[in-house]
Every structure is written in C-alpha cells, then in structure tokens.
C-alpha cells in the first residue's frame, strides 16, 4: 500500500491528534503517503482531502480537539453517500483509511471496508463504551478533568454545607462517572447500568446529613438522568441544599494526559502496520496492556462491560461514613 487516508469522526476526543501524528509518522517511516481527510465522512464525500506533511503534525501531540476536524454524517449512512465516498478515495488513489472515532464511526467504516478499501479503526471517544477494548483514546483525560472539577466543586460545597451533584458525559456508559467518582472520592455515583432509585439515593444523602456529614458529592452519568432533575427531586424530598453542576464540553477538550498520548501513539503504530500489510477491516484496541486488533463485526458486537463490582465497592464501601 502506498497511499493512505486518515480521518476523525463523531465527538472529538483528547488524543486524536496524537493518533494522527503517530499514524502519519509510522506510515512515513514505512514509505507510505498519508492524506488528511477533513471533517470526517462529510469531508470524505465532499473531497476535502490533502496530503499531510511533517510540518502539519508538528507540535500537535499535546493538543486537544482534532486538526482534521470532525463531524457526524447523515449522508454517509446512506448507500449513495458511501458510494460517493468510495469514488472519492479511488480518485485520490487512496487504498486504505484510518478512521478514529467511536462505535457509530466504526459501523460506517465496516461498510466502506466491504466496498473494497482497507479500513482500520482506532477507538477515540471519551465515553469508553466499546467493549472489545479496555480503553478508548480520551477517556483518561476526561476522567482527570472531571476529577479536578469535583475537587473544585467540593471546596465551595463544603464552605456552604451543601451537596453537589455533578453530571458527566458518557451517553449510556457510566465509566466516566465511575472512574472520576472514585478518583474524586464521590459519596454517591449514579449510572444507567446500575440504577439506584432516586428515593434510595435521597435517603442515603439524608442519612449522611443526620450523621454529621454536611457536604456530599454525587456524580451522575448523563444516561442516568439530569443533575438538575436529581437536585430538585432530592431537595423536594429532604429539604437538603443541593446544587447541580454540569461541566459539559469542558470534559471533551483540553490537553490529553500522558497516558492518552501514549495509547494513541500505540494505536497509530498498529494501524499503520496493518495497512502496510494490506490488511483492512480491523479495529485496533488494548486488552491487558497489549495492543490487539479485531474485526469490525467483533468490535461493534462486543457489549460494553461495566465494572459492577467496582461500582458497588465505591458506593457501599469507599463512601461509608
Ligand atoms: O460520544 C461522546 C459524547 O461527548 C457523549 O459523551 C455525549 O453524550 C455526546 O458525545 C455529545 O454529543 P454532541 O457533540 O453532539 O453534543
């Protein structure tokens, strides 16, 4: 393979740039040219494609966002849209493409791969909701960002003897809530995988208060409900002074952690190696600290596995008062 393309798709995530850089450099070292495809599948269909050079991937390792921009494409979900994308790749003589994104992006990648272009997927989403890989790029950074937010919030909640409920992203996956909740010493974590009734949660917070714990931090995953609704519910039920905080997109931006940078670089290395060997249709991942690759079908079908034991340990043991 002589020419490959690379694109970022879906929600951006810190570490995408590190993956672009590593893929470019690995391909360059192996004698392959890399073409940047801008704005994900939207840009692929529209032909927003240019050859990348070393200067373009200089000084991007530490930057959040994606230099290639990203999008969610409705047109690419149609057969007609994918045919346009395929024709565009043929026009540029691009034989393989690295797609950095989440499961939605991988579904499109699999269909494009079936049309005859070798596609490799790199998992990039803060949600960490892809079961075939232990970690996705950006998750560690998002967890660190929320952990720091929790400590800031705790300071001001403590000063007023308040309860703070922090709503975090993750779509239907509670991993950000669980990990940031543990790292932030949360007193209660609510996720959609392990749903605790809000009545029970309110009773728990009241019990904390009656036993002298005047400040508590609750972390709620967006899939488990809105922080504002939970705060209103608890206040109406118990009279507790409770504030809802939604950090929102703050957790999707920012400099990637060292761990995300290294993970992204390892993924980029494997993606380039696969394409060099004319292998497509694979999603790169990490299991037990080893880089792996599996078929897109397996990557998409492997259900995300939430660590219920860790969740119970956090709520039942770490949060004891
Ligand atoms: O998938 C990443 C993610 O940030 C989710 O955590 C969140 O639910 C969603 O994207 C937000 O999407 P948008 O960028 O369209 O607001």
């Amino acid at each position: 393979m002589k020419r490959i393309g690379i694109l970022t798709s879906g929600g951006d995530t810190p570490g995408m740039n590190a993956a672009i850089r590593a893929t470019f450099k690995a391909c360059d070292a192996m004698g392959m040219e890399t073409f940047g495809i801008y704005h994900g599948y939207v840009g692929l269909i529209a032909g927003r494609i240019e050859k990348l050079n070393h200067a373009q991937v200089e000084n991007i390792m530490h930057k959040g966002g994606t230099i290639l921009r990203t999008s969610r494409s409705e047109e690419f979900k149609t057969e007609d849209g994918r045919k346009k994308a395929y024709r565009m790749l043929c026009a540029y003589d691009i034989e393989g493409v690295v797609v950095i994104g989440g499961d939605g992006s991988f579904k499109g990648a699999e269909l494009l791969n079936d049309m005859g272009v070798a596609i490799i997927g790199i998992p990039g989403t803060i949600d960490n909701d892809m079961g075939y890989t232990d970690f996705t790029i950006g998750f560690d950074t998002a967890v660190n960002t929320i952990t720091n937010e929790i400590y800031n919030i705790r300071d001001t909640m403590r000063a007023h003897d308040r309860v703070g409920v922090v709503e975090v992203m993750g779509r239907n996956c509670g991993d950000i809530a669980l990990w940031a909740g543990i790292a932030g010493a949360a007193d209660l974590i609510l996720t959609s995988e392990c749903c605790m009734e809000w009545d029970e949660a309110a009773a728990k917070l009241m019990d904390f208060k009656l036993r002298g714990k005047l400040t508590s931090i609750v972390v709620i995953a967006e899939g488990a409900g809105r922080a504002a609704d939970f705060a209103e519910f608890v206040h109406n039920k118990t009279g507790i002074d409770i504030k809802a905080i939604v950090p929102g997109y703050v957790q999707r931006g920012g400099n990637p952690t060292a761990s995300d940078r290294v993970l992204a670089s390892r993924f980029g290395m494997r993606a380039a190696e696969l394409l060099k060997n004319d292998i497509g249709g694979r999603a790169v991942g990490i299991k037990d600290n080893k880089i792996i690759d599996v078929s897109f079908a397996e990557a998409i079908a492997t259900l995300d596995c939430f660590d219920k034991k860790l969740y119970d340990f956090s709520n039942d043991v770490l949060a004891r008062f």
Side-chain angles (χ1 to χ4, degrees):
M1 203 172 285
K2 286 270 167 244
R3 292 175 147 212
I4 71 125
I6 184 163
L7 62 83
T8 48
S9 171
D12 63 297
T13 170
M16 279 182 161
N17 285 328
I20 294 166
R21 174 181 179 269
T23 305
F24 169 84
K25 289 197 182 247
C27 286
D28 185 63
M30 291 188 284
M32 295 188 289
E33 291 177 331
T34 301
F35 286 73
I37 300 164
Y38 290 82
H39 300 106
Y41 293 128
V42 169
L44 174 55
I45 291 168
R48 284 178 222 147
I49 301 173
E50 71 168 2
K51 191 171 166 232
L52 293 179
N53 58 45
H54 279 279
Q56 282 163 300
V57 299
E58 189 72 17
N59 203 33
I60 65 167
M61 171 66 118
H62 61 295
K63 289 186 177 152
T66 158
I67 59 161
L68 293 177
R69 310 292 188 271
T70 186
S71 68
R72 294 190 168 99
S73 170
E74 285 306 315
E75 193 179 0
F76 192 73
K77 288 183 187 156
T78 67
E79 203 182 332
D80 196 39
R82 288 192 296 277
K83 277 186 184 155
K84 283 189 201 162
Y86 177 76
R87 281 197 292 271
M88 199 54 80
L89 290 170
C90 294
Y92 278 83
D93 277 334
I94 292 174
E95 301 156 281
V97 179
V98 175
V99 171
I100 309 171
D103 55 352
S105 308
F106 279 15
K107 281 178 192 145
E110 184 184 29
L111 294 171
L112 193 57
N113 185 78
D114 293 345
M115 293 171 84
V117 197
I119 314 286
I120 300 296
I122 290 182
T125 163
I126 60 167
D127 300 349
N128 207 39
D129 58 350
M130 302 170 93
Y132 80 96
T133 180
D134 287 343
F135 296 106
T136 55
I137 303 171
F139 170 66
D140 186 61
T141 306
V143 166
N144 275 277
T145 303
I146 292 296
T147 302
N148 291 333
E149 293 265 322
I150 288 175
Y151 275 95
N152 288 359
I153 291 161
R154 190 191 300 280
D155 285 346
T156 172
M157 293 299 132
R158 262 191 116 76
H160 292 264
D161 296 336
R162 281 175 175 156
V163 171
V165 49
V166 186
E167 179 186 317
V168 302
M169 283 183 166
R171 262 184 228 278
N172 295 314
C173 179
D175 279 12
I176 297 177
L178 177 61
W179 283 59
I182 290 175
D187 304 286
L188 191 55
I189 300 171
L190 301 171
T191 69
S192 60
E193 294 93 338
C194 299
C195 59
M196 179 188 287
E197 294 297 329
W198 283 11
D199 268 324
E200 189 188 340
K204 210 165 176 174
L205 292 171
M206 197 58 199
D207 181 55
F208 283 153
K209 188 176 174 177
L210 291 174
R211 286 189 293 115
K213 186 178 179 62
L214 301 179
T215 298
S216 296
I217 295 291
V218 181
V219 178
I220 185 167
E222 63 177 335
R226 295 279 162 216
D229 295 339
F230 180 77
E232 195 185 341
F233 177 88
V234 171
H235 180 73
N236 289 343
K237 198 98 194 158
T238 64
I240 287 175
D241 187 4
I242 176 168
K243 297 287 175 194
I245 303 105
V246 186
Y249 293 102
V250 163
Q251 67 205 286
R252 219 164 71 180
N255 298 345
T257 58
S259 177
D260 267 332
R261 295 178 205 188
V262 175
L263 184 65
S265 302
R266 294 173 76 189
F267 284 165
M269 177 173 71
R270 172 65 66 91
E273 282 167 3
L274 288 167
L275 289 179
K276 181 67 191 167
N277 291 314
D278 293 325
I279 296 169
R282 309 291 289 172
V284 172
I286 187 163
K287 271 277 168 202
D288 302 326
N289 203 22
K290 297 230 167 7
I291 300 298
I292 55 155
D293 55 87
V294 303
S295 69
F296 277 124
E298 186 181 336
I300 294 162
T302 310
L303 292 180
D304 186 41
C305 173
F306 185 73
D307 193 339
K308 165 122 181 37
K309 194 171 175 197
L310 188 59
Y311 176 86
D312 288 341
F313 179 66
S314 179
N315 275 350
D316 301 341
V317 179
L318 292 178
R320 276 171 88 87
F321 179 77

